[in-house]
């Protein structure tokens, strides 16, 4: 039987290696009850060594805040650029696509060239302005309530546009990807709009740097089984990558 100190070391070592731990997994590994592990996690949280969530724990606070897009653009910018450069390869000439909002999808939009001859539906005013300079890119800007922090639209007016649209691909950014809870964003209205985008798309492609894994925003977009492709960077932990691939999602490392 391991001592409390040995159990705590095992939990923290696994947390550092994987980026998350699950109560039931640790209980099986250490041959103790889930109640014991929950008590261990509570003690470690009180020492500010981890953050507990339902049935699991993460090394950092999993809850994300609403950050202005101009600040987001400077966070992990190199990874976002690599992700964007990789994502552009998934486009086909004459595609009709949806481009959501956020700093990573804006980096993706910067990679789009006129020769692709696309139809682009977007919530982002920045994306519309960027792509409007191209002669052969047809831009459909969604209407609605302007969200100042992201310079994109939300609300019923934006969502209603998808009553009459079907697109081949959706390129979407997120604020958090939790293996159990799913994809989230910091704004509930944006989450609802993203849900309508998913329903109107044949393929859902998520662009997210590795810092988004293990995080949760306020608004739930969808569960992982509604995602077809995730493009991220090499900072993703091997265990998380394995779980995503086992869920049947195509994982591309940029």
């Amino acid at each position: 039987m391991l001592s409390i100190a040995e159990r705590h070391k095992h939990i923290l070592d696994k947390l550092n290696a994987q980026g998350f731990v699950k109560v039931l997994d640790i209980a099986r590994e250490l041959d103790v009850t889930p109640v014991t592990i929950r008590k261990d996690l509570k003690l470690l949280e009180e020492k500010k060594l981890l953050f507990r969530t339902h049935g699991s724990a993460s090394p950092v606070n999993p809850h994300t805040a609403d950050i202005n897009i101009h600040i987001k653009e400077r966070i992990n910018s190199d990874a976002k650029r690599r992700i964007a450069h990789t994502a552009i390869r998934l486009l086909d000439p004459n595609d009709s696509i949806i481009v959501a909002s956020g700093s990573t999808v804006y980096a993706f939009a910067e990679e789009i060239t006129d020769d692709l001859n696309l139809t682009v539906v977007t919530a982002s005013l920045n994306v519309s302005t960027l792509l409007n300079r191209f002669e052969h890119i047809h831009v459909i800007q969604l209407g609605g309530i302007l969200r100042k922090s992201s310079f994109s639209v939300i609300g019923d007016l934006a969502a209603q546009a998808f009553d009459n649209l079907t697109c081949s691909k959706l390129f979407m950014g997120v604020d958090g990807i939790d293996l159990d809870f799913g994809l989230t964003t910091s704004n509930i209205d944006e989450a609802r709009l993203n849900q309508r985008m998913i329903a109107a798309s044949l393929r859902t492609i998520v662009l997210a740097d590795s810092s988004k894994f293990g995080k949760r925003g306020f608004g739930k977009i969808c569960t992982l089984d509604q995602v077809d492709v995730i493009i991220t960077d090499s900072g993703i932990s091997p265990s998380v990558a394995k779980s995503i691939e086992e869920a049947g999602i195509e994982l591309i490392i940029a």
Side-chain angles (χ1 to χ4, degrees), residues 50-113:
L50 53 76
F51 288 85
R52 287 186 299 159
T53 56
H54 181 68
S56 61
S58 64
V60 295
N61 191 333
H63 299 288
T64 63
D66 189 8
I67 302 173
N68 188 283
I69 192 168
H70 298 300
I71 297 174
K72 283 184 176 181
E73 286 172 348
R74 299 193 293 269
I75 300 173
N76 298 325
S77 58
D78 289 342
K80 290 174 181 177
R81 178 60 57 200
R82 293 195 302 274
I83 291 167
H85 187 67
T86 301
I88 210 73
R89 300 172 194 164
L90 300 184
L91 286 176
D92 296 307
N94 305 307
D95 258 346
S96 295
I97 66 170
I98 302 170
V99 177
S101 61
S103 56
T104 310
V105 293
Y106 182 77
F108 163 74
E110 289 183 310
E111 297 283 334
I112 292 175
T113 54

Side-chain angles (χ1 to χ4, degrees), residues 59 72 76 78 80 84 104 115 164 184 211 216 224 226 240:
K72 283 184 176 181
N76 298 325
D78 289 342
K80 290 174 181 177
T104 310
D115 61 296
N164 302 302
T184 54
S211 70
R216 291 189 186 186
L224 280 175
Q226 292 180 266
V240 172

